[in-house]
Structures are given as C-alpha cells and as structure tokens.
Amino acid sequence: MSNLENVPKSGRLANRNSNHNVPSVSNWLDDIFNRNLSSVFTSDFNTGISLPKVNIRETSDAFMVEMAVPGLKKSDFNIDIDNRVLSISTETKEEHEQKEGNYTRREFGYASFKRVFSLPESVNDEKINASYNEGILNILLPKREEAKQKPSRSIEVA
C-alpha cells in the first residue's frame, strides 16, 4: 500500500528531493527526545505506549490497516480524518496511591501515541470504519467504486 504516506510527528511531509544525509533540526530534536530513558527513570508502573507498528494491506476493494495496541479500550482511541489525512491517537492517564505505616507512595503515569497517514484519492473517506478486538485495532478504508479493480473479461471481436 505504497499510496499511504506516513506523516512525521511534525505533520509535514518530507521533501522527496531533499538530501537524506543531512539531518534536519526537527529530526535531531526527535532523536534526542525519543531515545529510551535509562532504567533509573522507568518502572513497572509507567511502561508507556511506544509507537505501535502498523500493517497495511491492499485488496481490490479496500485498504486494511491493522495496529497492535493491547491493553486499551475502544473508548481510548481518537480516529479522525481531515483533508484526506487519517489520524489515529490515544492518551491514557493512571494514578496509584499506597499508604502504609508512616509513608505514602503516590505514582502517576501518562502514555500517548499518534499515527498519521495521507490517504490516496482512491479511498472513499465517507465509508471508513474501525473496530477493536483482542488488542488489535482494524481500520477498513474502502475504495471508491471507480477505483476498484475490475475483473478481467474477454471481448469478442465483431
């Protein structure tokens, strides 16, 4: 499904003619802030959500997007389409407080992700639907009738 463009966090598509050997300031900052923190800063409480991997499959009638995001609820997802750009995001917050004896332990966690894709013109964005089952988010992107692959047929010569 090479027609879908993965849009970076900045929301801008990369210039296809740019020199890939020279990192942009945006890429450089992303590298700094997206590095894994050492184990000193992590715990079993706040595991967060890494950027989920996406499988995209094309058939003659539709594109299917599968995203593995276990541990969430259907209501955790925000799926939006704006100007042929599909955005999939979630945000979760959690707080725990434990009191024993003369101490209190209070922890909180926050996790989020956002994946953004440019949709090809062939997608009928009025009929997009999504489902979430057993940790897998499925999004069906049906093609417009005129974009669907027609079966081959024989033409008789008159």
Side-chain angles (χ1 to χ4, degrees):
M1 177 166 171
S2 60
N3 293 347
L4 288 185
E5 285 281 343
N6 195 6
V7 179
K9 291 178 185 176
S10 66
R12 295 185 308 259
L13 288 175
N15 181 356
R16 294 182 189 271
N17 297 325
S18 65
N19 184 349
H20 294 294
N21 296 329
V22 179
S24 69
V25 172
S26 174
N27 289 345
W28 180 72
L29 288 173
D30 279 350
D31 287 345
I32 289 174
F33 290 109
N34 290 329
R35 287 186 184 149
N36 289 331
L37 296 176
S38 69
S39 61
V40 172
F41 296 106
T42 60
S43 71
D44 60 351
F45 171 76
N46 187 14
T47 57
I49 298 176
S50 61
L51 196 59
K53 301 291 183 192
V54 176
N55 293 327
I56 301 172
R57 189 167 37 109
E58 180 179 11
T59 66
S60 60
D61 295 332
F63 297 101
M64 274 88 69
V65 178
E66 288 180 320
M67 184 180 292
V69 281
L72 299 175
K73 301 180 298 256
K74 292 178 186 181
S75 60
D76 290 334
F77 294 100
N78 296 312
I79 303 172
D80 300 305
I81 185 160
D82 183 24
N83 200 23
R84 308 214 52 81
V85 175
L86 177 71
S87 300
I88 307 163
S89 63
T90 188
E91 187 176 308
T92 59
K93 297 175 186 174
E94 193 173 347
E95 287 189 36
H96 290 289
E97 187 171 328
Q98 178 183 1
K99 292 183 180 188
E100 287 185 25
N102 60 352
Y103 74 90
T104 299
R105 177 180 173 182
R106 186 172 183 199
E107 293 184 352
F108 59 93
Y110 174 84
S112 68
F113 75 82
K114 183 172 187 175
R115 295 293 308 254
V116 180
F117 302 93
S118 292
L119 298 179
E121 291 292 325
S122 60
V123 170
N124 184 347
D125 58 4
E126 298 294 322
K127 295 188 177 182
I128 295 173
N129 66 55
S131 62
Y132 182 68
N133 189 22
E134 296 185 11
I136 305 292
L137 177 67
N138 290 292
I139 301 174
L140 179 66
L141 307 166
K143 292 182 180 178
R144 297 178 188 276
E145 281 302 317
E146 60 272 13
K148 290 182 181 177
Q149 203 172 6
K150 307 289 190 262
S152 62
R153 61 185 178 99
S154 296
I155 301 172
E156 285 188 39
V157 178

